[in-house]
Amino acid sequence: AVGFYRDFLIAKAPETGVGRTGLTLQGGGQVDWYAANDADGGSWLDYAPGAATKYSNLGSGYVAPLVELKTGGSFPAYTQSKIFGPLSMSNTAWFREDLPAGVMEAVPTKYDPGSGAWSDVGHYCFVDYASGQLRTTARDLARFGEAMLGYGAPALWAEAVGKQAVRCLETDESG
């Protein structure tokens, strides 16, 4: 996954082909991430930073390779040392195999209105795991929420940093 984003970050996506093949959807189909991204207008907006916004899960997935490029370490190790560890979130990980033994996991299910039955669809993962694959318990999530009520201070960063991170970005009353 990180190779996919790293290729995008350094504009090497067309050369390397990471993300072009071997990505199977839950229903069994294949996806070419580059073609899908290009069809949606591409990865980069043609605006100065902050001049325009566009929601993008793909964009939030860039967090992992950016951290890895900057620190030289892995994103899971970084978040463990900078967020999960300081907040005592001991049942939180990006990947199932990194969860402590015995942690109970919720499993996604699908409802069939014809039979009235629920079926287990199994665990899944994302090529852009940093955009939504965090596995945690309600208690650990509450620890993070409690820290953010105080803008992350003092366990994660200075209060001013937390306030900057959650500030309102609207430029006028209309949003």
Side-chain angles (χ1 to χ4, degrees):
V2 173
F4 168 74
Y5 282 98
R6 186 167 295 150
D7 289 351
F8 261 49
L9 286 169
I10 60 175
K12 295 252 183 223
E15 298 170 28
T16 64
V18 173
R20 287 222 180 266
T21 60
L23 298 174
T24 304
L25 299 173
Q26 186 172 335
Q30 296 283 313
V31 66
D32 177 334
W33 278 84
Y34 298 115
N37 186 57
D38 289 344
D40 190 34
S43 294
W44 311 108
L45 296 176
D46 192 19
Y47 301 104
T53 60
K54 179 180 176 186
Y55 175 79
S56 171
N57 255 21
L58 186 67
S60 62
Y62 282 110
V63 168
L66 287 171
V67 167
E68 291 184 358
L69 287 169
K70 178 67 176 168
T71 66
S74 78
F75 182 68
Y78 181 85
T79 53
Q80 177 60 43
S81 70
K82 300 294 185 182
I83 299 172
F84 310 147
L87 296 179
S88 299
M89 295 173 66
S90 57
N91 294 306
T92 300
W94 291 103
F95 301 102
R96 293 179 71 210
E97 61 268 18
D98 295 332
L99 288 169
V103 170
M104 292 189 64
E105 296 180 75
V107 178
T109 58
K110 179 179 179 181
Y111 181 71
D112 179 356
S115 69
W118 292 89
S119 61
D120 179 351
V121 297
H123 288 281
Y124 55 90
C125 62
F126 304 114
V127 67
D128 58 340
Y129 71 92
S131 73
Q133 189 174 298
L134 185 66
R135 299 172 188 278
T136 191
T137 61
R139 180 167 287 147
D140 278 7
L141 186 58
R143 286 184 173 120
F144 181 79
E146 184 176 30
M148 292 312 294
L149 286 173
Y151 300 102
L156 301 177
W157 42 69
E159 185 175 319
V161 172
K163 285 183 176 181
Q164 178 71 14
V166 298
R167 78 187 192 290
C168 185
L169 297 177
E170 287 96 4
T171 56
D172 62 29
E173 64 280 351
S174 67

